């Protein structure tokens, strides 16, 4: 094990929280249980990492082995990445081929290596026929940079792939080409849909809403406002309030359902519309160019926050379709223009 690999595995282990160290290393399955038991996990982290690196050196650890541990760490901390959704399509009338995961991996790796001399590709199978792919990019003259990899989560026999946002945007076309050819599709496009919460993106794309979602930094949803009613208030007003409250609850449930909402942090609306006024005068009314502005709604759990607005009395029910259509349209980037 050379110095480059030793530094790579050292940095990777240092990222792992002490409370997750044993679980992560067991999932890695590179060091035996006897080797793990021989290590004192109560040491200071720096000393512990030194001992673990020595054990890895004894087993002649490779770059691929270290990259696999990095994938496992990323799987446990997937919310630290920002994920973009990509959708692939086949030619009209094209038959659906039987999917072979081994063939997919071989083809994907070959396409990248033919196009780029220095590239490192590592795979790890996951649940629901998914495969996690880690790509470390190099150049024709530089070795792969193991500290700025791109991650891909591809669900076999589906047209969807989830790709971590990368500073190396120039690599995306090649990555898309490899995915398209290896999965036997014809074209790939980036959807206007991204989030840190990979499980929520997956649930929306595959329409699997009724489940428990990631709860990192979760906040308590807005509670319904309590309205102080005079004890002598007209019973007819109380009845009307109750009818309206029931209507709001019914409409909200029809739109959002009665299950926890997938977690998204924001929705962004880019407006490019001409100014409209009944008065038909003024500087803005005479402007031929459309007005441009950006509106962004942010929340630790945007869909739950939107769901709670009407019941809390903050907004009318139903909410605007521009806010409620996010799961159905599978997007949280919108561009609004004049019809």
């Amino acid at each position: 094990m050379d110095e480059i690999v030793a530094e790579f595995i050292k940095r990777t282990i240092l990222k792992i929280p002490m409370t997750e160290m044993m679980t992560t290393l067991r999932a890695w399955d590179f060091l035996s249980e006897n080797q793990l038991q021989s290590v004192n996990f109560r040491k200071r982290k720096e000393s512990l990492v030194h001992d673990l690196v020595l054990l890895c050196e004894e087993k002649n650890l490779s770059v691929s082995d270290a990259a696999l541990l990095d994938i496992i760490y990323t799987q446990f901390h997937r919310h630290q990445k920002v994920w973009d959704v990509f959708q692939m399509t086949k030619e009209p009338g094209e038959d659906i081929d039987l999917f072979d995961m081994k063939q997919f991996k071989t083809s994907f790796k070959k396409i990248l290596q033919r196009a780029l001399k220095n590239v490192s590709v590592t795979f790890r199978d996951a649940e629901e026929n998914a495969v996690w792919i880690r790509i470390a990019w190099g150049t024709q003259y530089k070795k792969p940079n193991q500290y700025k990899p791109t991650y891909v989560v591809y669900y076999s026999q589906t047209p969807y792939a989830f790709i971590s946002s990368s500073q190396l945007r120039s690599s995306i076309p090649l990555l898309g080409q490899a995915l398209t050819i290896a999965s036997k599709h014809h074209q790939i496009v980036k959807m206007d849909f991204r989030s840190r919460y990979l499980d929520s993106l997956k649930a929306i794309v595959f329409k699997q809403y009724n489940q428990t979602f990631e709860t990192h930094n979760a906040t308590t949803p807005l509670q319904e406002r309590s309205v102080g009613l005079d004890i002598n208030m007209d019973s007819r007003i109380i009845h009307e309030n109750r009818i309206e409250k029931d209507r709001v609850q019914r409409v909200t449930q029809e739109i959002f359902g009665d299950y926890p909402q997938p977690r998204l942090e924001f929705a962004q609306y880019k407006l490019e519309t001409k100014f409209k006024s009944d008065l038909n005068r003024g500087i803005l009314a005479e402007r031929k160019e459309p007005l441009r502005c950006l509106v962004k709604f942010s929340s630790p759990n945007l869909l739950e926050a939107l769901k709670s607005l009407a019941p809390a009395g903050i907004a009318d029910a139903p909410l605007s379709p521009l806010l409620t259509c996010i799961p159905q349209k599978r997007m949280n980037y919108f561009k609004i223009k004049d019809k």
Side-chain angles (χ1 to χ4, degrees):
M1 186 171 76
D2 60 28
E3 291 182 6
I4 295 175
V5 179
E7 181 64 21
F8 178 29
I9 191 63
K10 176 184 175 183
R11 289 202 203 179
T12 303
I13 297 174
L14 277 170
K15 291 192 298 186
I16 304 171
M18 289 295 287
T19 54
E20 301 172 7
M21 187 69 73
M22 184 63 84
T23 303
T24 305
L25 292 176
R26 280 176 173 157
W28 185 32
D29 199 29
F30 180 78
L31 299 175
S32 68
E33 187 64 28
N34 287 338
Q35 286 177 309
L36 292 177
Q37 293 298 334
S38 68
V39 177
N40 182 5
F41 282 84
R42 295 177 182 173
K43 285 183 176 182
R44 291 180 57 198
K45 191 170 188 179
E46 291 77 7
S47 179
L48 170 63
V49 170
H50 175 74
D51 292 347
L52 290 170
V53 170
L54 289 178
L55 289 175
C56 291
E57 189 171 7
E58 289 176 9
K59 292 197 67 174
N60 198 23
L61 176 112
S62 67
V63 171
S64 295
D65 295 324
L68 185 59
L69 179 60
D70 192 48
I71 292 179
I72 294 169
Y73 169 82
T74 304
Q75 287 178 312
F76 287 157
H77 297 272
R78 59 189 72 182
H79 61 283
Q80 293 179 354
K81 303 289 180 183
V82 176
W83 300 91
D84 290 302
V85 185
F86 286 75
Q87 184 176 21
M88 294 175 284
T89 54
K90 290 181 176 288
E91 287 275 29
E94 190 175 351
D95 294 335
I96 298 175
D97 298 313
L98 292 175
F99 186 83
D100 185 322
M101 181 62 80
K102 185 177 180 180
Q103 184 180 358
F104 168 83
K105 292 176 181 178
T106 302
S107 176
F108 181 89
K109 194 170 185 176
K110 278 184 178 179
I111 293 166
L112 291 184
Q113 290 178 337
R114 283 173 183 168
L116 195 60
K117 180 182 177 182
N118 291 309
V119 62
S120 171
V121 183
T122 310
F123 301 94
R124 186 171 193 257
D125 294 333
E127 72 288 344
E128 299 181 274
N129 296 320
V131 59
W132 281 64
I133 312 170
R134 181 186 187 276
I135 306 105
W137 305 96
T139 67
Q140 299 297 340
Y141 309 103
K142 291 183 179 179
K143 294 292 184 182
N145 185 345
Q146 298 295 342
Y147 304 107
K148 292 183 179 180
T150 301
Y151 296 90
V152 179
V153 184
Y154 174 61
Y155 288 82
S156 64
Q157 296 180 304
T158 79
Y160 297 103
F162 305 85
I163 302 177
S164 65
S165 294
S166 172
Q167 296 176 345
L168 302 172
R169 295 183 180 180
S170 59
S171 63
I172 293 299
L174 177 59
L175 178 55
Q177 181 184 4
L179 275 171
T180 305
I181 296 173
S183 62
K184 299 181 180 179
H185 284 85
H186 174 68
Q187 191 176 9
I188 186 169
V189 294
K190 180 181 176 182
M191 299 173 65
D192 294 322
F193 200 28
R194 65 160 37 183
S195 173
R196 290 187 178 277
Y197 299 103
L198 177 62
D199 289 351
S200 293
L201 290 175
K202 178 176 73 74
I204 292 174
V205 166
F206 296 142
K207 298 184 178 179
Q208 301 168 333
Y209 303 160
N210 192 7
Q211 57 177 277
T212 302
F213 296 98
E214 299 157 290
T215 56
H216 305 287
N217 302 321
T219 58
T220 305
L222 290 172
Q223 299 299 316
E224 182 178 324
R225 289 180 176 176
S226 59
V227 181
L229 298 177
D230 191 293
I231 194 168
N232 297 318
M233 181 176 286
D234 192 319
S235 61
R236 289 173 296 179
I237 297 177
I238 296 174
H239 179 65
E240 288 178 5
N241 285 341
R242 186 175 294 116
I243 292 175
E244 175 61 14
K245 177 182 174 182
D246 292 342
R247 185 193 72 83
V248 169
Q249 293 287 4
R250 185 181 69 255
V251 170
T252 300
Q253 185 167 333
E254 287 173 357
I255 295 172
F256 293 97
D258 58 356
Y259 40 77
Q261 298 299 299
R263 292 201 67 193
L264 298 175
E265 317 93 282
F266 68 90
Q268 182 172 296
Y269 299 82
K270 187 176 182 180
L271 279 65
E272 295 182 3
T273 59
K274 290 185 178 180
F275 180 79
K276 296 177 182 179
S277 171
D278 294 335
L279 299 176
N280 197 27
R281 64 174 182 268
I283 297 175
L284 292 178
E286 295 172 359
R287 179 187 171 97
K288 294 182 179 180
E289 290 294 318
L291 295 172
R292 294 179 175 87
C293 70
L294 192 68
V295 180
K296 187 174 182 179
F297 295 90
S298 300
S299 170
N301 194 335
L302 180 64
L303 294 180
E304 281 290 351
L306 293 174
K307 182 179 179 180
S308 67
L309 289 179
I314 298 173
D316 293 332
L319 295 177
S320 167
L322 287 172
L323 295 173
T324 59
C325 72
I326 294 170
Q328 288 75 31
K329 288 188 175 291
R330 293 177 293 190
M331 59 192 297
N332 58 351
Y333 283 84
F334 296 87
K335 185 177 287 188
I336 303 170
K337 295 184 177 182
D338 289 319
K339 292 183 179 179

